[in-house]
Amino acid sequence: MQQPAGFGSLLDSRVLKRKIMFVQISALTLLCSLGHASLPLVINTWPFKNATAAAWSVLQSGGSVLDAVEKGCARCEIEQCDGSVGYGGSPDESGETTLDAMIMNGDTMDVGAVADLRRIKNAIGVARAVMERTDHTLLVGESASVFAENMGFIAEDLTTNRSLNTFSQWLKGNCQPNYRKNVFPDPSISCGPYKPRVTLQRRKRVRHMYRHSHDTIGMIAFSQDGHVAAGTSTNGLMHKVPGRVGDSPIVGAGAYADSSAGAAAATGDGDVMMRFLPSYLAVELMRAGADPSAACETAISRIKRHHSEFFGAIICANTTGHYGAACNKSPGFSKFQYMFQNRPH
């Protein structure tokens, strides 16, 4: 029998007839678990329930945790979850959509990742191909796309009418917001092309509150016997400088998995979060005995000490099937939602 379903919230505890648990936490409020901890387990960032269901179906049919993570993230790529995963979302300064993804095997510590991937919709599949068809960890840009095509992935246009319209509106708005600094013309009021200013000016980092431009899917899957894998997929930051890579494909930042300790996956402002390797930190804290909730909170708090208003969240799970999450309260973001599915004792 599968986990009885419900809607978990600090504000609402109604029980609904669904097979997948949806959890909402207030910022820096932690939930160690809902119900009994058990394996197998699938947990992912944001309320992407079809991705959860796809991964759980793989585990239920005897598939591996790598298969589960790949299928779960691929479901979001197909469905263009929140416009922040898959094709047709988050156009960069040139109007192009590019993809980042990563997958990690917690048994072998093997990792495959791609960044700035063009023309290929199945980024998580290409990441797995990097892991299984090369001795490398990360391939980027046009070379990653050529590799994917050589491995049999279909080249397709990632642009849609929606992304074209988003790009057009951005241009009409004098390219606001953007992520340039210390350049001229003044990037706060003008489009490029930009040239470097002679002198550098230190200024507080400008926050651009696009919650949906940060909605990476990060997923963790545990098998009944404790094997674990983790993965991520995203189309990155809307209006980013071409070539920008965030935290999602960076091992230890976007996600991390170790079958002897647990796994974690992060979502949010990747340019900040990747500097602190929150997923790696959370897993090492669980290895040292911290419960998943405490590990998540510590990972978030460490970033908060340096960037008090950063946008971000993390999910954590240990080898016993306990799980938790934490997020940082910032303007426009006070609650974090995630999904999980497990089997009761």
Side-chain angles (χ1 to χ4, degrees):
M1 220 177 140
Q2 291 187 350
Q3 169 77 15
F7 176 87
S9 170
L10 296 177
L11 304 176
D12 191 342
S13 59
R14 294 171 295 171
V15 176
L16 306 179
K17 293 181 179 178
R18 281 193 270 173
K19 293 182 179 179
I20 299 170
M21 190 72 79
F22 166 70
V23 183
Q24 177 173 284
I25 64 170
S26 293
L28 284 180
T29 300
L30 287 302
L31 298 178
C32 180
S33 66
L34 291 177
H36 297 289
S38 64
L39 299 177
L41 169 69
V42 173
I43 180 171
N44 59 264
T45 56
W46 305 112
F48 302 148
K49 67 176 183 179
N50 290 343
T52 318
W56 181 253
S57 177
V58 170
L59 294 182
Q60 290 297 92
S61 62
S64 71
V65 288
L66 285 171
D67 293 338
V69 168
E70 181 182 1
K71 293 298 183 184
C73 290
R75 173 55 55 185
C76 254
E77 292 173 346
I78 293 168
E79 295 184 358
Q80 302 167 280
C81 289
D82 257 1
S84 62
V85 182
Y87 69 100
S90 302
D92 63 19
E93 282 187 346
S94 64
E96 185 177 15
T97 294
T98 57
L99 308 179
D100 302 337
M102 184 263 283
I103 191 167
M104 183 170 188
N105 184 333
D107 291 342
T108 64
M109 310 306 287
D110 289 337
V111 178
V114 289
D116 195 27
L117 182 71
R118 300 174 170 87
R119 301 191 303 280
I120 309 296
K121 290 183 176 180
N122 183 204
I124 189 70
V126 181
R128 187 168 180 180
V130 172
M131 180 175 69
E132 296 180 340
R133 308 293 180 183
T134 81
D135 287 330
H136 303 313
T137 295
L138 172 65
L139 296 182
V140 302
E142 180 62 22
S143 296
S145 302
V146 172
F147 165 79
E149 291 173 30
N150 290 339
M151 292 297 101
F153 291 86
I154 299 172
E156 303 176 78
D157 189 354
L158 303 187
T159 300
T160 62
N161 289 336
R162 178 182 176 181
S163 64
L164 281 174
N165 182 64
T166 297
F167 178 58
S168 176
Q169 293 301 313
W170 181 73
L171 290 176
K172 290 178 181 177
N174 294 321
C175 303
Q176 302 303 308
N178 62 63
Y179 299 90
R180 303 281 185 164
K181 64 181 182 180
N182 291 315
V183 296
F184 67 89
D186 184 349
S188 68
I189 57 174
S190 302
C191 295
Y194 302 105
K195 299 295 182 182
R197 288 191 177 277
V198 175
T199 58
L200 297 179
Q201 297 177 338
R202 286 193 60 85
R203 61 176 175 82
K204 185 177 180 181
R205 190 171 185 269
V206 177
R207 295 186 67 259
H208 305 287
M209 194 56 228
Y210 276 106
R211 202 274 286 177
H212 292 289
S213 75
H214 293 285
D215 292 1
T216 306
I217 182 169
M219 177 172 280
I220 298 164
F222 275 93
S223 68
Q224 181 66 52
D225 50 3
H227 300 295
V228 64
T232 64
S233 185
T234 185
N235 51 36
L237 186 62
M238 193 177 296
H239 311 311
K240 60 183 175 281
V241 177
R244 178 263 188 188
V245 176
D247 64 327
S248 297
I250 306 302
V251 62
Y256 195 74
D258 186 334
S259 296
S260 67
T267 182
D269 187 343
D271 289 297
V272 168
M273 297 181 76
M274 68 192 301
R275 304 168 191 173
F276 297 87
L277 299 178
S279 295
Y280 174 78
L281 174 60
V283 171
E284 291 307 302
L285 289 167
M286 288 188 286
R287 186 193 309 280
D291 67 58
S293 295
C296 283
E297 183 177 20
T298 299
I300 290 294
S301 295
R302 181 166 178 254
I303 305 172
K304 185 179 176 67
R305 287 201 298 269
H306 297 271
H307 299 274
S308 61
E309 294 188 346
F310 87 98
F311 165 78
I314 185 170
I315 56 173
C316 305
N318 65 18
T319 55
T320 65
H322 286 87
Y323 52 87
C327 64
N328 184 50
K329 185 176 182 179
S330 60
F333 178 65
S334 60
K335 291 183 174 64
F336 170 57
Q337 302 165 342
Y338 66 96
M339 306 293 300
F340 80 90
Q341 171 75 73
N342 65 3
R343 180 185 295 131
H345 293 294

